[in-house]
Amino acid sequence: MNATPPSTPARPKLLLPALLTVIGVGVLCTLGTWQLQRMTEKHGFIERLETQAKGPASALPPSSKWASLDPAQLDLQRVEARGTYLEDGIAGVRTTIAAGPPGTRQLSGFGRWVFQGFRLEDGATILVNRGFVPEALYGAMKPASGPATVSGFLRAPEARNSFTPADLPGKREFYTRDPEAIAASLGLPGAPFYLEAERSGDGMTPPAGVDVRELIARIPDNHLQYALTWFGLALTLIGVFGAYALQARRMRTDA
């Protein structure tokens, strides 16, 4: 009886895995490079903000040009607004402020941003985020009154996500800083942005405006971490293909 020769294991193909590896590494490295570019842009943005905070505030753009302005381009532009607070009430945006680092004193915990209408000298209306108030003290907050000069930062509307609770405009209670929706609840015309007031005093008297250092700390800056993740995945993919190719070579040698 003739013995049946042992079957030879199929040799792994390298062309398709190599092509997919090259494409995958290219995509991952592109994403990593893009994150490095975003990091450079973000650091330039933060440096601009720090420089602005040290100098005089610029004038608020005239209301006649608001319709043609891009709020995203104006976001965090330091400005000064002159006008009068409107005593039609306030609206609150729920938020949580983390405690500051050791040695700092600031209001923190669960509370609300206090928004109030502000009529500018040219007759237009803008919302001012006067600052943070702990929830236990919010019920005692009263509208500001009279003429004022407010220095602070223009802010673009805050975006919602799938986890953001529904606003309660009838109660003037919100979960995103949306100037048009908040203005509507106060019976005021909307503006494409709002003014986040700078902190004055020790920051412990509500409403506590934003400190530029706190504002910068709230700006996400994880781009280096993301870049290293993408580059690490690219190296991992190369390593996986290398192990696969080495195994294929051994199988050819043993055949």
Side-chain angles (χ1 to χ4, degrees):
M1 180 180 296
N2 294 330
T4 303
S7 59
T8 302
R11 297 176 181 177
K13 306 294 184 181
L14 291 180
L15 180 59
L16 181 59
L19 179 61
L20 294 176
T21 298
V22 170
I23 294 174
V25 169
V27 170
L28 293 170
C29 287
T30 298
L31 291 172
T33 302
W34 176 69
Q35 287 293 342
L36 291 178
Q37 292 173 345
R38 291 284 295 122
M39 181 183 70
T40 301
E41 294 171 358
K42 181 66 67 63
H43 288 176
F45 178 74
I46 292 174
E47 290 174 3
R48 176 177 67 82
L49 183 59
E50 291 173 334
T51 301
Q52 286 181 358
K54 297 175 183 177
S58 59
L60 185 72
S63 58
S64 59
K65 296 184 178 180
W66 287 0
S68 62
L69 297 176
D70 181 1
Q73 294 295 323
L74 291 173
D75 196 37
L76 292 174
Q77 179 74 37
R78 186 167 180 257
V79 300
E80 181 180 87
R82 299 176 184 272
T84 304
Y85 277 108
L86 301 176
E87 301 180 47
D88 298 324
I90 59 175
V93 178
R94 291 190 178 275
T95 189
T96 301
I97 300 295
T104 62
R105 298 175 70 246
Q106 69 179 49
L107 295 173
S108 60
F110 181 63
R112 308 190 199 193
W113 297 114
V114 177
F115 278 73
Q116 186 173 344
F118 189 77
R119 177 159 290 127
L120 302 168
E121 292 179 335
D122 66 0
T125 301
I126 191 173
L127 287 178
V128 173
N129 176 6
R130 292 169 51 201
F132 174 76
V133 178
E135 187 64 24
L137 303 177
Y138 181 75
M141 287 302 304
K142 303 298 181 184
S145 61
T149 299
V150 182
S151 294
F153 301 88
L154 286 179
R155 300 305 311 270
E158 186 176 21
R160 303 181 68 87
N161 58 47
S162 57
F163 299 102
T164 305
D167 295 328
L168 301 172
K171 296 182 178 180
R172 295 178 175 176
E173 181 179 324
F174 295 85
Y175 290 86
T176 57
R177 287 169 282 184
D178 182 345
E180 290 194 2
I182 297 172
S185 75
L186 295 170
L188 301 173
F193 38 68
Y194 66 93
L195 179 59
E196 195 157 72
E198 283 183 321
R199 178 172 300 171
S200 60
D202 61 3
M204 297 299 292
T205 303
V210 67
D211 181 88
V212 66
R213 292 167 296 180
E214 176 188 320
L215 191 62
I216 293 172
R218 295 208 310 258
I219 298 174
D221 186 16
N222 302 316
H223 300 292
L224 180 59
Q225 175 184 336
Y226 295 152
L228 293 176
T229 299
W230 291 124
F231 290 136
L233 289 173
L235 289 174
T236 301
L237 186 56
I238 292 172
V240 170
F241 175 76
Y244 178 81
L246 181 61
Q247 180 66 21
R249 182 178 179 181
R250 287 175 178 171
M251 293 181 68
R252 289 194 184 96
T253 302
D254 296 340

